Each structure stands twice: as structure tokens, then as C-alpha cells.
Amino acid sequence: MNTGRVIIVGVDGSPRAGAALRWAIEVGAHAGNTVRAMLVRPRDTLLPGTSFTLQPHGRVPEAGFSLAAHVKGLGIEPAAEVETRTVHGDPATELVTASADADLLVLGAHRGGTPADLVLGSVGRECVRYSRCPVVVITPEAAHRLTPA
């Protein structure tokens, strides 16, 4: 049984989430730790009386997106164990729930459309507010500054 730290990383297939995952594997985790890459696929919510689907929660991963292939495609030889987990639900709720059993939650910064979402995005904002563990928000620019030499 692994007794090291557990680091959860929210992954949605975006370059910013990829930078967060790379940072968690290369910088945040050490031997004996577990990096758990989490892909949350939102449930479709149908608008009453229509056939249109509304996706109110952040970026929706591409239909053919494979989390395991994405992690492998990073080409990183991790010191920590890397797990992948795909769940369905509200991304913020699922990540906050997972944070209860984690030592760190890592998210990529997003550039959203509303002023409140310019840096964090709606999912990131909710995770920062309600997470049960420390949260690190990584921009691609910051990820490169902290990469090991």
C-alpha cells in the first residue's frame, strides 16, 4: 500500500491542464507519491422541450480524448506512480470531492470569458474556494519556470 502523498490533477485535454499535469509529475511529486490524473466528463443536461444539450461546466473534453494516451504522450519518466481516473459529473464537485483524500490539488489556469473567470475559470474558482487540501494553479508560463534543470 502506498503511504506517500496523493496529488490530484484535473485534466481536460487543454494545453493548460497538460502543463499542470507535467508540473505535478516533474516537480510536485517524488518517489513514493501518487499523481492521480482525473478527467471529469460532465453529464449532459438537456434543456426542457429541446434536443439541444447544455454544458455549463468548463471545457468539455473531446469525445475521442484518452487520458491514458495523454499521460503517456507527455513522454515523462515519473518518479511517482501515475494513475488515471475518469469520472462523470460536475467537474468542480468531483475534484473537490477527490480533494478530501488528497494532499494537493493541481489545476491549470484558464482564460475564460467573464471577468471572474479570466485566470481560474469557473471550475478552478470553485476548487480554490471549496477544496479540502491545498490547491496549486499552474499557468504554462509558470510551469516552464519551475521545471527541474
Side-chain angles (χ1 to χ4, degrees):
M1 176 175 217
N2 188 347
T3 58
R5 292 186 171 140
V6 174
I7 299 171
I8 305 279
V9 184
V11 179
D12 63 6
S14 70
R16 288 174 169 77
L21 180 58
R22 180 176 292 281
W23 182 88
I25 293 171
E26 291 181 335
V27 179
H30 304 286
N33 292 168
T34 299
V35 174
R36 187 171 299 139
M38 280 189 65
L39 170 65
V40 182
R41 293 198 177 274
R43 289 193 173 94
D44 294 336
T45 304
L46 296 178
L47 294 173
T50 71
S51 60
F52 296 103
T53 302
L54 173 67
Q55 292 291 352
H57 306 291
R59 181 183 190 282
V60 178
E62 306 276 330
F65 179 77
S66 166
L67 183 55
H70 180 70
V71 170
K72 186 176 181 179
L74 292 175
I76 301 171
E77 194 62 43
E81 176 184 351
V82 179
E83 299 176 353
T84 59
R85 185 172 293 171
T86 300
V87 297
H88 289 83
D90 169 58
T93 301
E94 295 299 326
L95 290 169
V96 168
T97 300
S99 75
D101 298 322
D103 297 290
L104 186 66
L105 175 61
V106 181
L107 304 170
H110 285 269
R111 309 278 191 235
T114 66
D117 293 341
L118 283 176
V119 176
L120 286 179
S122 60
V123 172
R125 188 177 65 241
E126 293 302 304
C127 288
V128 167
R129 289 181 73 187
Y130 300 109
S131 176
R132 298 180 187 145
C133 67
V135 178
V136 173
V137 179
I138 297 292
T139 64
E141 299 81 17
H144 294 297
R145 292 179 66 190
L146 296 172
T147 301

